[in-house]
Amino acid sequence: MIAIFKKELWSYFGNWNAWLIIGAFSLISTLFLFFFENDSNIFDIGSATLQSYFVLVPWLFMFIIPAISMRTLAEEQQSGTLSWLFSQPVKISEIVLGKFLSVWLVGVLCLLPSIVYLYTIYVLGVPEGNIDFGATLGSYFGIAVLTAAFSAVGILASSLSQNQIMAYLLGVFLCFIFYFGIEQLASYKLLGGADYLLSNLGFYQHFLAFTRGLIDTRDVFYFLLVIGISLFSAKVFVQNKK
């Protein structure tokens, strides 16, 4: 698993792919938070908080994480190297897990430049340092867990297709449905009391608690369950190709 993990990281950072993704993510975040007129602009909000950043990140990751994960298994199938991996002394679960961890790490590294935003908010606060660190740290933890869920779903999408473009489109679709689609469907209140249960099947409600600084074990367990089911399903699909 460690060998697969290192190989994937080298493929991302060895040819500038990861650097371009991190740079593009940081640039887009900066433009939305400080320059473009929108609901996420910190100056327009007038409050020393990074909550608008944590609202923006899931939407960006909804497109970025599938772009990172689309090649993990789909490219191996497309190029024929998946058969070579099968012949090596490595378990399929280790292949899937190694690729998942590499995608997740790249996603987490995209968040590092936000330290500059945090410092900016800290300095601009009146008085200086007037920022809710509890909610901020909880939001960072929630984003890291949500990134892991997006990464697992992206790995699953890549295992279902031999074409990288199809893997990307499927990954975006699944991430969109899990994060926004289920929540919107529940908001129509077509199922009566079952709408609450439906909304809890999606990512949004569980991620929302983290943005308030609340780290509930039930929310953590939910995301771990989603990650586990996605990676296990990816393993099964890859196993069927053996």
Side-chain angles (χ1 to χ4, degrees):
M1 185 193 72
I2 295 177
I4 296 293
F5 174 67
K6 291 180 178 179
K7 169 184 172 294
E8 291 296 314
L9 280 185
W10 175 250
S11 69
Y12 291 130
F13 288 97
N15 57 8
W16 298 97
N17 285 345
W19 302 108
L20 290 175
I21 290 173
I22 295 173
F25 175 82
S26 301
L27 176 61
I28 295 173
S29 299
T30 302
L31 291 175
F32 272 94
L33 291 176
F34 296 99
F35 295 97
F36 292 164
E37 292 186 6
N38 61 94
D39 294 335
S40 298
N41 190 295
I42 291 176
F43 295 122
D44 291 340
I45 294 173
S47 178
T49 176
L50 274 182
Q51 291 310 300
S52 58
Y53 173 72
F54 297 116
V55 172
L56 177 66
V57 168
W59 288 98
L60 296 179
F61 274 172
M62 199 180 297
F63 297 94
I64 290 177
I65 297 300
I68 301 173
S69 63
M70 68 179 184
R71 57 170 296 279
T72 50
L73 293 169
E75 185 183 50
E76 300 280 9
Q77 299 176 63
Q78 196 171 17
S79 62
T81 55
L82 190 61
S83 299
W84 177 80
L85 280 176
F86 289 153
S87 65
Q88 302 304 306
V90 58
K91 298 177 182 178
I92 294 179
S93 59
E94 294 173 340
I95 296 174
V96 172
L97 191 57
K99 291 178 178 293
F100 159 73
L101 290 175
S102 65
V103 173
W104 184 31
L105 180 59
V106 175
V108 171
L109 290 177
C110 286
L111 301 174
L112 286 182
S114 67
I115 295 176
V116 177
Y117 308 150
L118 182 61
Y119 177 74
T120 302
I121 296 298
Y122 181 88
V123 172
L124 293 178
V126 180
E128 182 176 314
N130 183 27
I131 183 173
D132 188 347
F133 280 105
T136 302
L137 293 177
S139 298
Y140 270 115
F141 179 81
I143 282 292
V145 175
L146 182 65
T147 303
F150 279 161
S151 301
V153 171
I155 294 292
L156 174 60
S158 185
S159 71
L160 290 170
S161 177
Q162 295 184 2
N163 183 283
Q164 294 186 51
I165 301 301
M166 291 302 299
Y168 172 72
L169 294 176
L170 180 59
V172 171
F173 174 75
L174 291 176
C175 289
F176 175 82
I177 291 297
F178 276 112
Y179 182 77
F180 185 74
I182 293 178
E183 177 64 23
Q184 283 300 298
L185 185 61
S187 68
Y188 290 126
K189 301 187 183 303
L190 300 176
L191 303 176
D195 287 316
Y196 174 76
L197 297 177
L198 179 62
S199 66
N200 277 276
L201 292 178
F203 292 169
Y204 181 78
Q205 286 296 327
H206 297 279
F207 171 69
L208 192 62
F210 292 121
T211 62
R212 296 167 179 161
L214 303 175
I215 300 179
D216 195 319
T217 54
R218 291 172 295 182
D219 297 321
V220 175
F221 176 78
Y222 165 81
F223 280 111
L224 291 177
L225 182 62
V226 170
I227 294 169
I229 292 175
S230 299
L231 295 181
F232 178 78
S233 299
K235 174 193 171 185
V236 172
F237 287 121
V238 174
Q239 180 75 48
N240 291 337
K241 302 176 187 295
K242 188 172 182 179

